[in-house]
Amino acid sequence: MRGEIRERYGLIFPFVRLIKRGSRLAELLIFPSVCRRCLALLERPDERILCQDCLAGFVPGPPSHCPSCGRFFDGDGAAHLCGGCLRRPPSFSTHRSAARYDGAVKDALLLFKYRGLRPLGRPLAAFLHASIGRFDPPWTGADLFVPVPLHRRRRRERGFNQAEILAVELSRLTGVPVEARVLRKTINVQPQASLRSEERRANIRGAYRAVRPEMVAGKIVVLVDDVFTTGSTLGECARVLAKAGARDVRGVTIAQA
Ligand SMILES: [Zn+2]
Ligand SMILES: [Zn+2]
C-alpha cells in the first residue's frame, strides 16, 4: 500500500516543492525582500523595507534640549532655553524632535521622502512616539495635528506629503485627530538648504496661508514635519496659525539637522 502511494505521488511531492521554491523566487523578484538600507535579507514576515537591525539603529536624541525650540544640547545638563530662543522666541510655544538627523534615522527619512517608500511613515512615527511620548509630549491636551503642507506642485511630483503620513500615524497612536486642510503652501519657494537662518526666514515669509481658519480658532495645534533645520518653516506655519486664531501652536519632527 505504502509503496503504491509512493509510486503514485512520489513524482508529485518534489514537483510541489519545486513550485513552492519557484513562487518564493518569484516573490523575491517581484517584492525586493532585502533591507533597502543594508541589503540584509528580510526573513521575518513582519519586516518591510528595513530590517530589524536598521530599525534598532533609530537612536533617540540626547535628553538635554531647549524646551522652546527643542534643539538638542551636547552633554546631559538640565533643560534650559538656548541663546537663540532667549534673543528671539519662536512663534511656536514648544517643539520636540525624536533624534538627530544622522545614521539610520536620516537614511530612513531619505528613503521615505525621496524613494516613495510610504510604509516607512509608520515605524518613524512609532519611533517619535516612543522617544518623546513618555514625558509631557507636545500632543498632551492638543486638539489637532496639522501637517506642514507641500506646495501642490511638489506634492504632485512626490505623490504624497510625508508630513501628512507622519501626522496620520501619530494620530493613530495618540488619538489626537489630524486636519490637513487648514494650511496651504501658496508659494513654491526656492530650496532652503543653501540659505542661512535669516535668509530662510525671509525666503519663506508669506509662503503659507490658513485657508480654513475656523478649524484652528481657539485650538491647541501640533504641527508635524519630518525634519527641523533652522525652524523657519515651523515658525512661519505657527505664525500663520496663531494669526488664524489658534490658542497655542506646538511642533514635532522626526529629526533635527
Ligand atoms: Zn538593514
Ligand atoms: Zn531654543
Side-chain angles (χ1 to χ4, degrees):
M1 183 68 184
R2 188 167 283 182
E4 198 182 303
I5 291 176
R6 191 172 301 150
E7 210 170 288
R8 194 177 291 173
Y9 298 105
L11 280 173
I12 295 176
F13 287 133
F15 188 59
V16 168
R17 266 207 298 277
L18 201 69
I19 291 175
K20 273 190 176 155
R21 206 177 299 158
S23 60
R24 174 72 182 139
L25 191 68
E27 194 187 307
L28 276 171
L29 288 173
I30 297 165
F31 311 104
S33 291
V34 292
C35 173
R36 293 292 292 262
R37 177 167 181 262
C38 74
L39 302 183
L41 205 64
L42 299 183
E43 283 162 340
R44 289 166 44 161
D46 59 329
E47 287 183 319
R48 276 188 91 182
I49 300 170
L50 291 183
C51 71
Q52 292 300 316
D53 284 352
C54 285
L55 287 175
F58 287 7
V59 182
S64 187
H65 63 274
C66 169
S68 171
C69 69
R71 199 160 287 291
F72 295 129
F73 298 130
D74 294 321
D76 41 27
H80 59 278
L81 286 175
C82 72
C85 288
L86 283 173
R87 276 193 304 278
R88 183 192 174 126
S91 43
F92 45 86
S93 62
T94 184
H95 159 257
R96 297 295 312 276
S97 312
R100 292 190 196 277
Y101 187 59
D102 58 21
V105 171
K106 179 179 178 178
D107 294 344
L109 282 167
L110 291 172
L111 287 168
F112 176 47
K113 199 163 155 178
Y114 298 114
R115 298 292 171 93
L117 296 174
R118 300 161 72 142
L120 282 177
R122 182 160 293 185
L124 284 167
F127 167 62
L128 172 64
H129 185 254
S131 310
I132 67 168
R134 267 170 302 166
F135 186 71
D136 201 24
W139 52 78
T140 304
D143 297 300
L144 279 181
F145 282 121
V146 171
V148 168
L150 292 179
H151 190 269
R152 65 189 150 75
R153 199 176 313 149
R154 181 72 52 84
R155 197 198 155 103
R156 201 163 47 229
E157 285 161 8
R158 192 169 294 164
F160 63 98
N161 175 4
Q162 70 280 358
E164 192 174 333
I165 291 178
L166 292 170
V168 168
E169 293 295 341
L170 278 175
S171 173
R172 263 184 356 102
L173 294 166
T174 59
V176 175
V178 181
E179 189 43 79
R181 294 166 298 173
V182 175
L183 277 180
R184 189 173 297 163
K185 192 170 191 185
T186 50
I187 303 171
N188 200 4
V189 294
Q190 60 156 307
Q192 301 252 94
S194 60
L195 302 178
R196 288 180 303 114
S197 172
E198 278 303 319
E199 293 170 333
R200 279 175 179 245
R201 245 198 304 275
N203 186 43
I204 209 160
R205 190 157 178 109
Y208 296 92
R209 242 181 51 210
V211 285
R212 310 283 282 272
E214 71 281 0
M215 283 177 169
V216 291
K219 303 262 173 76
I220 298 174
V221 180
V222 181
L223 285 161
V224 181
D225 207 358
D226 52 347
V227 180
F228 180 93
T229 309
T230 61
S232 60
T233 298
L234 221 56
E236 178 63 7
C237 288
R239 187 184 71 80
V240 167
L241 289 177
K243 227 173 125 191
R247 178 151 60 96
D248 186 17
V249 185
R250 309 162 182 174
V252 288
T253 54
I254 303 296
Q256 60 182 251

